[in-house]
């Protein structure tokens, strides 16, 4: 599991880990718990580009269908095929092996993200 205090978070309950110009993106365990059992994940193709704030994927659970928003603009360099094959990994290890995509981001453009304290405030401390 990643050090949760080093991650960036969005109001759409995504986490972002930045390493150089590549951002690894997933949904938080709070989001996974709210969704329930994840049964299907649709992710953008490697080589495609995504735009910050736009829908770039879909996460379907036994309770609902949620959209995955790109937290930054850039090129998708990798998708987690293990999650596509077994979406339940999002529920069991949201901050680890349940990551969704890796994105080569443009500069330091992460938009309006939250730190851990801000995300906890957003979720009422339940995250």
């Amino acid at each position: 599991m990643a050090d949760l205090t080093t991650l960036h978070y969005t109001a759409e309950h995504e986490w972002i880990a930045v390493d150089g110009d590549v951002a690894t993106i997933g949904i938080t365990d709070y989001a996974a718990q709210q969704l329930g059992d994840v049964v299907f994940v649709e992710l953008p193709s490697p080589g495609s580009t995504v735009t910050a704030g736009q829908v770039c994927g879909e996460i379907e659970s036994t309770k609902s269908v949620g959209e995955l928003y790109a937290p930054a603009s850039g090129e998708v360099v990798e998708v987690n095929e293990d999650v596509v094959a077994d979406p339940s990994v999002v529920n069991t290890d949201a901050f680890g092996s349940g990551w969704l995509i890796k994105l080569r981001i443009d500069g330091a453009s992460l938009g309006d993200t939250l730190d851990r304290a801000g995300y906890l405030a957003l979720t009422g401390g339940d995250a």
Side-chain angles (χ1 to χ4, degrees):
M1 176 184 281
D3 178 354
L4 303 183
T5 61
T6 64
L7 302 176
H8 301 265
Y9 298 87
T10 70
E12 289 78 28
H13 307 289
E14 296 158 340
W15 59 264
I16 306 127
V18 178
D19 183 13
D21 65 347
V22 175
T24 302
I25 299 161
I27 65 168
T28 65
D29 57 351
Y30 175 82
Q33 290 173 5
Q34 296 300 309
L35 283 169
D37 295 332
V38 176
V39 296
F40 177 76
V41 175
E42 181 179 322
L43 300 173
S45 301
S48 64
T49 57
V50 298
T51 303
Q54 300 297 308
V55 174
C56 66
E58 187 175 282
I59 300 173
E60 184 176 334
S61 73
T62 54
K63 290 183 180 178
S64 66
V65 176
E67 295 176 323
L68 177 66
Y69 291 89
S73 296
E75 177 187 358
V76 177
V77 294
E78 186 176 352
V79 299
N80 189 344
E81 295 295 342
D82 292 340
V83 166
V84 173
D86 180 8
S88 70
V89 175
V90 172
N91 294 108
T92 59
D93 193 13
F95 290 107
S97 57
W99 64 273
L100 299 174
I101 62 173
K102 293 188 179 191
L103 186 67
R104 186 174 319 282
I105 56 176
D106 302 330
S109 175
L110 277 180
D112 295 325
T113 58
L114 305 167
D115 61 11
R116 182 72 182 160
Y119 186 68
L120 288 173
L122 176 72
T123 62
D126 289 339

